[in-house]
Amino acid sequence: MHAYLYLISATYVSAQRFSTLAQKLEGATAGPALAIRLEAEGAGLWSALDELRARGATRIDLRPVGLPFSQSLEKWLPGAAGAWLARQDLPVPELYFSASPEGDMGVITAVARAELPMRRISAQPQGERGKGWDLPPAHQHHLLVCTGPRCHVKDAPNLADVLKVEIRRAGLGDSCLVTTTGCVFPCNAGPVIVHYPRGDWYRMADRADIQNFVATVLARGGRLESLIFHQTGVSHETA
């Protein structure tokens, strides 16, 4: 069975808007298909490949979606898919990675000539200012959860949801500000959560790590040395 996996990089797109696009892509495909985000939320690359294989796919085409598509992701994705392939039992499906659609002049022409609804913009003094954008909410702990593509593939978005659930369960919702971020750089150590004001960088592999972090660090003020791999202000460069 020939299946298709659409790869979309869209950080500031709502879940509803992405869902609509995903449904259209999957519906327009002649064969089984999935569309996933490479960051933020939803199924990651590896879990999507798992699903298509479970559905009987013997060949899976990975198709980037975006104009232009990230050159960094374009270089990294085949390796990430290859890592998934290396862990599979025989027989393994064939994987292919397509070029970005920006290389197809037909796509470019369609975008340039598309007849789309237009709305006129009027002058709006201070129109760039949003409601509630003046001060951060009150908090004691600021937690930066990386949901960039390389952490996303290791289920970082799911860990962010688990973190919020465990914080509420511990009665710490009013003292914690959880911010999901793009890439914070030490991708090989991910999924990454940075805890301020201490500046400790944690690797959170699963739900158990999150629960331990909330109970030990946030509730009791301790530290989890076994999960800390860096601290802000401490150089990681070798002499």
Side-chain angles (χ1 to χ4, degrees), residues 48-194:
L49 289 169
D50 285 340
E51 180 178 340
L52 288 174
R53 186 182 186 192
R55 287 163 60 176
T58 55
R59 169 175 169 164
I60 304 172
D61 289 1
L62 282 67
R63 300 181 66 93
V65 177
L67 296 173
F69 192 77
S70 163
Q71 291 173 294
S72 174
L73 289 178
E74 200 168 23
K75 292 179 180 178
W76 171 74
L77 283 164
W84 174 86
L85 197 63
R87 296 197 298 268
Q88 304 305 303
D89 296 326
L90 295 175
V92 297
E94 293 182 315
L95 296 186
Y96 291 86
F97 188 78
S98 80
S100 169
E102 68 202 69
D104 186 331
M105 196 58 204
V107 172
I108 300 299
T109 301
V111 170
R113 298 179 181 177
E115 295 291 338
L116 300 172
M118 303 285 286
R119 59 179 178 178
R120 186 172 181 176
I121 298 174
S122 58
Q124 299 180 59
Q126 296 189 325
E128 83 286 359
R129 296 178 62 84
K131 184 178 181 181
W133 290 0
D134 298 311
L135 293 171
H139 63 280
Q140 294 176 305
H141 306 278
H142 193 186
L143 305 168
L144 307 181
V145 184
C146 179
T147 58
R150 295 162 184 80
C151 282
H152 184 278
V153 79
K154 301 173 185 177
D155 288 334
N158 295 336
L159 291 180
D161 292 339
V162 172
L163 175 63
K164 293 174 184 178
V165 168
E166 293 300 326
I167 285 173
R168 289 195 296 270
R169 183 175 293 158
L172 299 171
D174 292 338
S175 63
C176 295
L177 175 60
V178 178
T179 304
T180 55
T181 76
C183 181
V184 294
F185 292 106
C187 307
N188 294 334
V192 176
I193 293 180
V194 187

